[in-house]
């Protein structure tokens, strides 16, 4: 026995690396009591951010050793509770000043993140944990001001208070904290309120912080002009000031922070060029300056930083010259995003050196010339976006050998020529966008048989020939519209259970298609077959078509005659229906009248003769109604005024007559009203000036008489006004000069007289706006106004003078 005790004594005292688990000690009763009381003061809720996290407090049982409880750490010598981790515990309730949490005075680490303490103020008692080295209260819904007592936590190494939007800082509190916590390394305060702190004060706050390595002030409300040479922190490795929309001025000179690895200044309002001093940040691995107002050229020295793996300069104003052709073979780029700028010139051939690249986005610029054949070495490339440029010529063959590519967008360029008939890559391609180019030839079979393809857009090209058999069973988005495709729609298209969008419009497709087959596509949301004049749709009147989630149906110019073949169908979710440019007439089918969800109905260029069916109580959510180019006669039904959601009403080129209804003023949401080429007579109702949302008003080519209402001058959103070819008399109201956004004005061919009003937009209109009014004079007409030809003042002007 004595030998055993001697051995144990040697083991415990002569080998300091050996220690017993904290759970082998019985925790102090007062700590156990404090923890159980703290737990009992909360309820739990469904926390979707932490769904897979097991609940730690389920192991907390009275009478058991709290040092063995999940989330609890005890000191191995004193057995005091020194660590409490209840992050993602789904606790809900308040932490009051008498909470037993504050009795755990030996805490060194406290994590309460991702719980809901909504309404709880950040108590000064948190400043009593003077041994605390790590404090994480992020995403807890704390509110109020951070108390000055937080500066008592002088041993802090890490402080996380992020995503507490109602938590605010005073400059003095933050300064005291940083000055007292001399070993602080991590300060994560994103999405707290620091709007009272001017950016130039940050230098005063952090100038003594030699230990800080990670500073996050993202979306903290800092605003004002940033002066140079601030935040010169010698140990700083990560700095995030992104999403402070009103933080402006030029980018700071951060060359003094020589160890900086990650820098994010995105979504601010910085201006000017990228400082050359950024090229001195040789440890930099990630730089993000997205969505600022930066201009000038991209420094070539920035592109040669050997440790830089991610560079994002998206959404700025870089315009000068092309990308420097300087990428070294030693680069480590994995992500390069220069999209949405104004960079021009040709793509550099040294792109071939970016052999670690995973994501390359140069879209929405002004690049021109051919795409260089540089892809053989980019074997890791997964995303490639060159859309919305001015690139031309053929797609280089090396591109089609990439095996890891998942996303390819070359849309909206001037690329031409055929696609290769066979390829060896693209096994993992999920998204292919080649739309809006000049590509020609047949669509190769591989385009429609890639095993992982989900989205394919080849629309607006010059592809010819038949559509081959489609076997990409993962397809849910297929657009082949606006080409020169011929032949039948392949039967294989009806086998795609996941297909949600199908656009085959504006081609030369032919043959007979049983419309019922499209109802097999249970996830179909958008179907467009418009403008295929040789295509014949077979609607069997005995079949009840069920399109449960179809929201958009475009069947214009497909030779539909009457409604006898459209007598049945279920379209419970249809919102946009275009049946224009057919030969439809007669009564509308009940299935169409009963679609409560309908928002837009296009029936132009048909042979309808009456408005009765279009103006009843159906379609209360209708926003757009186009009945132009029909044979509508009679007056406008007053029930049209009950469609309060209507944004566009187009009744142009019909045979409508009578007065323009006064009740149209009730449709306050109306933005476009087009009644041209009808037989309306009477005066323009003065209430037209109550349609404050109007952008376009066209009453031309009717038989309207009387004067132009002064109230039109109240339509502050109006961009286009056409009252031409009527019988309007009187002067042009001076109130129309108040229409600051007016871009199009046509008052020609009326009987107007007097001087044309001057000022603002009226000074930009030419003679064409007034031709055919022999009584008009003044600029821009060559006819000068005599003493008796000046326009009289408006009624409003007279009223103001009398007052």
């Amino acid at each position: 026995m004595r030998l055993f005790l001697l051995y144990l004594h040697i083991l415990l005292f002569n080998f300091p690396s050996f220690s017993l688990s904290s759970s082998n000690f019985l925790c102090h009763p007062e700590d156990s009591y404090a923890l159980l009381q703290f737990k009992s003061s909360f309820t739990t809720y469904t926390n979707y951010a932490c769904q897979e996290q097991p609940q730690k407090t389920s192991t907390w049982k009275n009478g058991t050793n709290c040092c063995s409880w999940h989330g609890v750490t005890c000191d191995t010598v004193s057995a005091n509770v020194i660590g409490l981790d209840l992050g993602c515990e789904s606790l809900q309730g308040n932490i009051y000043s008498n909470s037993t949490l504050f009795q755990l005075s030996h805490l060194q680490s406290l994590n309460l993140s991702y719980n809901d303490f909504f309404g709880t103020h950040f108590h000064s008692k948190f400043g009593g944990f003077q041994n605390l080295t790590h404090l994480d209260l992020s995403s807890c819904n704390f509110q109020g001001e951070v108390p000055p007592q937080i500066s008592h936590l002088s041993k802090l190494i890490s402080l996380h208070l992020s995503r507490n939007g109602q938590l605010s800082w005073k400059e003095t509190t933050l300064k005291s904290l940083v000055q007292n916590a001399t070993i602080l390394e991590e300060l994560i305060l994103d999405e707290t309120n620091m709007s009272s702190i001017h950016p130039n004060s940050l230098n005063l706050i952090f100038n003594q912080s030699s230990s800080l390595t990670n500073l996050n002030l993202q979306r903290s409300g800092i605003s004002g002009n940033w002066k140079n040479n601030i935040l010169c922190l010698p140990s700083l490795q990560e700095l995030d000031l992104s999403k402070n929309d009103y933080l402006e001025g030029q980018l700071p000179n951060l060359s003094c922070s020589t160890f900086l690895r990650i820098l994010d200044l995105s979504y601010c309002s910085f201006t000017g060029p990228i400082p050359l001093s950024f090229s001195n940040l040789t440890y930099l691995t990630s730089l993000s300056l997205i969505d600022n107002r930066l201009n000038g050229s991209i420094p070539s020295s920035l592109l040669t930083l050997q440790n830089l793996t991610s560079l994002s300069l998206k959404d700025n104003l870089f315009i000068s010259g092309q990308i420097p052709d300087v990428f070294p073979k030693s680069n480590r780029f994995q992500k390069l995003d220069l999209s949405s700028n104004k960079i021009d010139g040709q793509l550099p051939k040294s792109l071939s050196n970016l052999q670690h690249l995973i994501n390359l986005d140069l879209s929405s610029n002004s690049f021109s010339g051919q795409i260089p054949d540089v892809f053989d070495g980019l074997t890791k490339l997964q995303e490639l976006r060159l859309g919305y440029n001015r690139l031309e010529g053929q797609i280089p063959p090396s591109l089609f050998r990439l095996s890891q590519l998942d996303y390819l967008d070359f849309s909206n360029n001037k690329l031409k020529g055929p696609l290769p008939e066979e390829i060896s890559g693209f096994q993992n391609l999920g998204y292919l966008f080649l739309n809006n180019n000049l590509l020609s030839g047949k669509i190769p079979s591989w385009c429609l048989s890639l095993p992982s393809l989900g989205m394919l857009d080849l629309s607006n090209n010059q592809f010819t020939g038949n559509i081959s058999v489609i076997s990409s069973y993962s397809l849910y988005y297929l657009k082949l519209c606006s080409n020169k495709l011929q032949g039948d729609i392949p039967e294989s298209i009806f086998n795609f259970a996941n297909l949600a969008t199908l656009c085959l419009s504006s081609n030369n497709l032919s043959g007979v298609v049983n419309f019922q087959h499209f109802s097999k596509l249970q996830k179909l949301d958008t179907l467009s077959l418009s403008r295929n004049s040789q295509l014949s749709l077979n609607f069997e009147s005995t079949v009840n078509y069920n399109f449960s989630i179809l929201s958009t149906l475009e069947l214009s110019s497909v030779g539909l005659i009457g409604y006898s073949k459209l007598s049945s169908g279920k379209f419970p979710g249809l919102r946009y229906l275009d049946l224009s440019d057919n030969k439809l007439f007669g009564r509308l089918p009940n299935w169409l009248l009963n679609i409560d969800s309908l928002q837009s109905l296009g029936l132009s260029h048909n042979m309808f003769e009456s408005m009765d069916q279009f103006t009843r109580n159906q379609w209360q959510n209708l926003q757009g109604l186009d009945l132009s180019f029909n044979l509508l006669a009679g007056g406008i039904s007053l029930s049209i005024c009950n469609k309060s959601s209507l944004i566009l009403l187009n009744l142009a080129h019909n045979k409508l007559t009578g007065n323009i209804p006064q009740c149209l003023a009730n449709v306050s949401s109306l933005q476009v009203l087009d009644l041209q080429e009808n037989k309306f007579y009477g005066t323009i109702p003065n209430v037209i000036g109550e349609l404050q949302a109007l952008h376009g008003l066209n009453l031309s080519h009717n038989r309207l008489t009387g004067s132009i209402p002064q109230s039109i001058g109240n339509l502050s959103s109006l961009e286009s006004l056409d009252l031409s070819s009527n019988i309007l008399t009187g002067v042009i109201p001076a109130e129309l000069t108040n229409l600051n956004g007016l871009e199009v004005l046509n008052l020609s061919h009326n009987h107007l007289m007097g001087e044309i009003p001057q000022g603002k937009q009226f000074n930009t209109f030419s003679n064409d706006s007034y031709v055919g009014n022999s009584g008009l004079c003044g600029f821009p007409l060559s006819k000068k106004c005599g003493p008796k030809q000046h326009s009289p003042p408006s009624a409003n002007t007279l009223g103001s003078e009398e007052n």
Side-chain angles (χ1 to χ4, degrees), residues 171-299:
E171 181 177 324
T172 53
T173 302
L174 183 58
K175 185 178 181 180
S176 297
L177 168 66
V178 173
Q179 288 180 346
N180 292 341
T182 56
I183 59 173
L184 186 65
E185 296 178 4
E186 285 190 336
L187 186 56
I188 312 299
L189 306 179
D190 55 293
E191 297 187 45
T192 58
N193 186 352
M194 304 179 70
S195 58
S196 64
I197 300 177
H198 194 275
N200 295 327
S201 300
L202 296 180
N203 194 36
L204 298 174
I205 294 172
F206 292 104
N207 64 353
Q208 300 296 322
S209 184
S210 59
S211 59
L212 202 61
T213 61
N214 188 345
L215 177 61
N216 190 332
L217 306 181
Q218 179 197 104
R219 195 178 283 169
S220 57
I222 299 174
S223 62
N225 198 296
W226 181 296
K227 287 185 178 179
N228 219 349
N229 294 317
I230 68 172
L231 282 184
C232 190
L233 306 177
S235 301
L236 196 64
Q237 297 180 22
E238 297 183 28
L239 174 61
D240 190 344
L241 287 168
S242 63
K243 299 180 182 177
N244 288 292
D245 300 349
Y246 300 104
L247 186 57
E248 54 191 10
Q250 294 197 341
L251 290 174
N253 182 350
L254 293 168
S255 58
C256 52
S257 300
T258 54
F259 294 101
L260 202 60
R261 293 187 299 106
I262 298 174
L263 176 59
D264 193 345
L265 302 177
S266 300
Y267 304 101
C268 295
S269 298
F270 291 116
T271 56
I274 298 177
L276 291 176
S277 60
F278 274 41
S279 304
N280 297 328
L281 303 175
T282 55
Y283 287 88
L284 204 62
T285 61
S286 176
L287 173 61
S288 182
L289 302 175
I290 297 172
D291 198 6
N292 281 280
R293 300 170 189 170
L294 303 173
N295 55 34
S297 59
I298 300 171

Side-chain angles (χ1 to χ4, degrees), residues 732 736-737 745 756-765 770 779:
I732 301 174
L736 297 191
T737 61
L745 174 67
I756 297 173
Q758 300 300 305
K760 300 179 182 178
Q761 289 298 103
F762 265 72
N763 293 345
T764 67
F765 300 127
Y770 311 104
F779 180 83

Side-chain angles (χ1 to χ4, degrees), residues 782-793:
S782 57
K783 181 180 179 181
K784 305 299 181 184
C785 294
K788 296 182 179 180
Q789 290 178 307
H790 288 285
S791 301

Side-chain angles (χ1 to χ4, degrees), residues 390-623:
R390 300 172 185 171
L391 299 168
E392 55 190 26
Q394 291 193 326
I395 300 173
S398 62
L399 176 76
F400 299 99
R401 294 192 281 270
L402 294 177
S403 60
Q404 300 300 314
L405 204 60
D406 171 65
Y407 195 107
L408 174 61
D409 184 358
F410 281 5
S411 65
N412 295 276
N413 281 287
K414 299 178 181 179
L415 301 174
K416 62 182 181 181
L419 297 176
E421 291 186 7
E422 295 183 0
I423 62 172
S424 59
F426 288 8
Q427 295 93 335
N428 294 311
L429 196 66
Y431 307 88
L432 176 58
F433 301 97
L434 299 176
N435 50 293
N436 294 88
N437 279 289
L438 303 172
L439 299 171
S440 57
K442 291 186 177 181
I443 298 176
S445 59
W446 62 261
C447 263
L448 302 171
S449 59
L450 294 172
S452 302
L453 198 63
M455 299 182 73
L456 174 63
D457 192 345
L458 302 179
S459 61
N460 290 286
N461 278 288
Q462 299 177 8
F463 289 114
T464 57
N466 294 351
I467 303 173
S468 63
V469 174
I470 304 173
S471 58
S472 295
Y473 290 104
S474 53
L475 270 177
Y476 60 88
Y477 181 96
L478 176 61
K479 294 187 74 172
L480 304 178
C481 36
S482 298
N483 280 287
K484 300 177 181 179
L485 300 172
Q486 303 166 336
D488 297 342
I489 296 175
E491 289 288 328
S492 57
I493 211 166
F494 303 114
N495 298 327
F496 291 86
N498 294 318
L499 200 61
T501 295
L502 176 61
C503 183
L504 301 175
S505 62
S506 298
N507 280 290
N508 298 317
L509 299 175
S510 57
V512 178
V513 179
N514 190 335
F515 192 74
Q516 180 191 5
H517 289 171
F518 289 105
S519 64
K520 297 177 182 178
L521 306 175
Q522 293 296 309
K523 295 184 179 180
L524 196 61
D525 173 83
T526 299
L527 174 61
S528 179
L529 303 175
S530 296
R531 295 177 295 283
N532 283 284
S533 57
Q534 303 301 313
L535 192 65
S536 177
L537 296 179
N538 181 13
F539 292 88
E540 297 180 14
S541 59
T542 58
V543 176
N544 189 6
Y545 310 112
N546 188 355
F547 293 84
S548 57
I549 64 172
L550 192 70
S551 68
T552 300
L553 178 60
E554 297 177 347
L555 298 178
S556 67
S557 301
V558 290
L560 296 176
I561 301 175
Y563 269 109
S564 60
K565 293 184 179 181
L566 289 172
S567 59
S568 60
K570 287 184 179 180
F571 301 85
L574 199 64
R575 292 182 293 165
Y576 307 99
L577 176 62
D578 185 3
L579 298 174
S580 61
D581 202 10
N582 285 290
K583 296 179 181 179
L584 302 173
F585 59 86
R587 308 295 294 175
L588 295 177
N590 287 332
W591 66 260
L592 177 54
L593 295 173
N594 294 330
I595 301 176
D596 296 332
S597 57
L598 201 64
Q599 296 180 17
S600 177
L601 178 60
L603 293 172
S604 66
H605 294 85
N606 279 289
M607 297 184 291
F608 293 106
E609 299 179 355
S610 172
M611 280 195 66
D612 288 348
Q613 282 190 294
F614 304 104
T615 55
R616 293 178 182 173
N617 291 328
Q618 73 272 11
W619 308 327
Q620 287 303 306
N621 297 313
L622 198 66
Q623 297 178 11

Side-chain angles (χ1 to χ4, degrees), residues 315-330:
D315 282 316
N316 279 285
L317 301 172
F318 296 112
I319 57 176
S320 301
Q322 61 186 36
I323 302 175
D325 193 6
V326 295
F327 295 106
K329 289 186 177 180
S330 59

